[in-house]
Amino acid sequence: MKRFLKPSYIAAAVLSLGALIWIFSGDLDQAKRHYGMGDGTPLPAAVASTGDEQGQAKKSEELPMVRVRHMLATERVREFSVTGRTDVIYDAEVSAETSGRITEISAEKGAWLNKGDVILKLAMDDRQAKLREAEARVVYERIGYDAAKKLSKKGFQSEVKLAQEESELEEAKATLAAIKLDIERTTVRAPISGYLETLPVTTGDYLKSGDKIVVMINPDPIRVVAQVSERDVTHLKVGDIAVARTVEGQVFTGTIQYIAQRADEQTRTFRVDAILANPQHLLRDGQTMEVLLQAGREKAHKVSAAVLTLNDDGEIGVKYVGADNKVKFQKVRIIAHTPDGIWLGGLPEDVTLITVGQEFVSEGQAVNPVDGASLTAKKDSAGS
């Protein structure tokens, strides 16, 4: 005997199935009406591009973020500094020009002397006697020459005898002049105005002709000698300004007087001399100086020293972002240091410089650049 479902169970199942069909058909129609699928109307552009924007945003978020600053170069005087040393222009080494014993020293080591001031004196010895003898001989020879000349005019004296008398007179005059010069040389005088730098003799020492006595130095003006590289020397010319600073910070301004045409064989640098006024004698011979030279004008960027970095070859430079948002490295020259930054040469005139994050990205890498100025503006706006 077959079993049949009760009519009540069948009715319940039919009602449940109908309810499900109604629910799903309603949602589907609603979706069709919302997006226009039933009448052939295309989806809105915002809905169609949502997936692409989300993908691009996700891709951008994955790129490393760097802070950048857009900069334009400005023209300024090209400056560079080198190390130099002072070197006196006017100095003199005084040597004895006659022999004798020192009887008097009139100056002290380190004293300032004017040209012609007495340094020391030598003993006269027999020089005065030789002087009187030479003077007497000149008188005698002049008398003989005058007599021969009178007789020659009357025809009683030959021309040969007259010439002989004249020769003997001139010889006597020369001997007298030599004695006078020798006596004058017993007094040693300052050949220039300056400081008595050395005085290695004392009273009683015997000097021979040619013996070194003293060295004198005049430090005004004074030159500062620097060695300049091949790259920089081509931009210099005689008459350019040179600013020299001592280790204590004293500043002296002068001009370039000499530029070598031949490089030093060891350093391959060129000697450059600048002349500095030194009226107070503050600079001394042989001092170390920092010399700032000006070499024309060029386009440059003023940046913080924090943006400087090194490439794999150890070259100093900066990193910037190109038009394709990829990192580029550029070797630079430091033109000048100022209290509020440094001036760099060698960059493109228009550049988007990486100011934060340059150490974490490499050349050729794609990045997400963020303008540092806009971030600062947003921060200020949020704070207000």
Side-chain angles (χ1 to χ4, degrees):
M1 182 175 172
K2 296 182 180 179
R3 293 178 128 186
F4 296 96
L5 294 175
K6 293 182 179 181
S8 59
Y9 289 112
I10 296 173
V14 171
L15 289 175
S16 298
L17 180 60
L20 289 174
I21 293 173
W22 178 82
I23 291 172
F24 282 106
S25 63
D27 289 342
L28 185 60
D29 290 341
Q30 186 177 359
K32 288 181 178 180
R33 287 194 301 272
H34 182 73
Y35 293 120
M37 294 175 64
D39 56 2
T41 304
L43 292 174
V47 175
S49 62
T50 300
D52 293 340
E53 287 187 352
Q54 289 177 347
Q56 291 176 0
K58 184 177 180 180
K59 184 177 179 181
S60 178
E61 289 175 359
E62 291 175 352
L63 294 177
M65 183 181 298
V66 292
R67 184 176 297 183
V68 298
R69 178 185 172 192
H70 186 72
M71 302 183 68
L72 291 174
T74 57
E75 190 176 70
R76 63 164 284 123
V77 175
R78 185 174 184 270
E79 298 177 336
F80 62 94
S81 64
V82 292
T83 300
R85 59 173 177 79
T86 55
D87 181 38
V88 292
I89 301 172
Y90 301 115
D91 61 347
E93 184 175 283
V94 184
S95 300
E97 295 181 290
T98 188
S99 299
R101 195 170 301 281
I102 299 174
T103 60
E104 178 185 337
I105 295 180
S106 305
E108 295 181 355
K109 181 179 178 180
W112 174 268
L113 301 179
N114 292 316
K115 183 178 180 179
D117 286 351
V118 175
I119 298 175
L120 57 82
K121 292 183 178 181
L122 301 178
M124 290 294 290
D125 297 330
D126 62 347
R127 290 181 175 87
Q128 287 292 353
K130 290 180 178 180
L131 176 64
R132 289 191 295 271
E133 180 184 353
E135 289 174 339
R137 186 185 172 194
V138 168
V139 173
Y140 174 79
E141 296 294 347
R142 180 173 283 115
I143 292 173
Y145 172 72
D146 289 343
K149 188 162 58 172
K150 288 178 181 179
L151 291 173
S152 178
K153 287 181 179 179
K154 294 179 180 180
F156 299 114
Q157 187 72 275
S158 66
E159 292 293 330
V160 173
K161 182 62 175 178
L162 178 61
Q164 182 180 354
E165 291 292 339
E166 183 179 9
S167 174
E168 290 176 352
L169 174 59
E170 293 302 321
E171 183 181 346
K173 287 181 179 179
T175 301
L176 177 60
I179 292 296
K180 287 182 176 180
L181 180 59
D182 188 53
I183 291 174
E184 183 180 336
R185 286 172 174 174
T186 60
T187 300
V188 179
R189 300 178 183 274
I192 62 171
S193 295
Y195 292 100
L196 194 59
E197 188 67 14
T198 64
L199 186 61
V201 295
T202 59
T203 302
D205 288 348
Y206 185 84
L207 298 178
K208 294 180 294 183
S209 181
D211 285 350
K212 178 179 175 181
I213 305 175
V214 297
V215 173
M216 295 193 65
I217 289 177
N218 188 335
D220 181 37
I222 197 168
R223 66 177 154 235
V224 58
V225 180
Q227 298 294 329
V228 178
S229 69
E230 299 177 63
R231 182 189 65 193
D232 294 323
V233 74
T234 56
H235 299 285
L236 300 177
K237 64 181 183 298
V238 172
D240 283 349
I241 299 297
V243 179
R245 181 167 54 241
T246 66
V247 293
E248 293 85 9
Q250 296 169 308
V251 177
F252 298 82
T253 302
T255 56
I256 294 176
Q257 183 191 55
Y258 167 77
I259 302 173
Q261 295 299 315
R262 176 178 294 175
D264 182 273
E265 292 184 0
Q266 279 73 41
T267 63
R268 307 309 303 167
T269 57
F270 294 81
R271 172 170 170 158
V272 175
D273 292 358
I275 305 302
L276 309 176
N278 187 31
Q280 303 301 319
H281 303 167
L282 299 176
L283 294 176
R284 300 172 184 269
D285 186 33
Q287 277 187 254
T288 300
M289 305 282 285
E290 179 189 6
V291 186
L292 186 67
L293 300 172
Q294 297 181 349
R297 306 181 71 86
E298 70 173 336
K299 295 284 189 178
H301 296 78
K302 185 172 73 172
V303 302
S304 167
V307 305
L308 296 178
T309 186
L310 297 175
N311 65 4
D312 294 337
D313 297 326
E315 297 174 321
I316 189 169
V318 297
K319 290 177 181 176
Y320 67 97
V321 177
D324 55 358
N325 281 355
K326 290 186 178 180
V327 178
K328 299 181 182 296
F329 176 86
Q330 178 63 50
K331 183 180 176 182
V332 296
R333 301 187 310 276
I334 299 177
I335 297 174
H337 292 269
T338 60
D340 56 344
I342 57 176
W343 287 86
L344 300 180
L347 282 171
E349 186 171 341
D350 188 345
V351 63
T352 302
L353 189 67
I354 300 177
T355 58
V356 177
Q358 67 271 22
E359 299 298 340
F360 304 101
V361 293
S362 57
E363 188 174 4
Q365 182 178 0
V367 294
N368 179 18
V370 178
D371 192 336
S374 64
L375 289 178
T376 303
K378 289 180 180 178
K379 183 176 180 181
D380 294 341
S381 176
S384 61

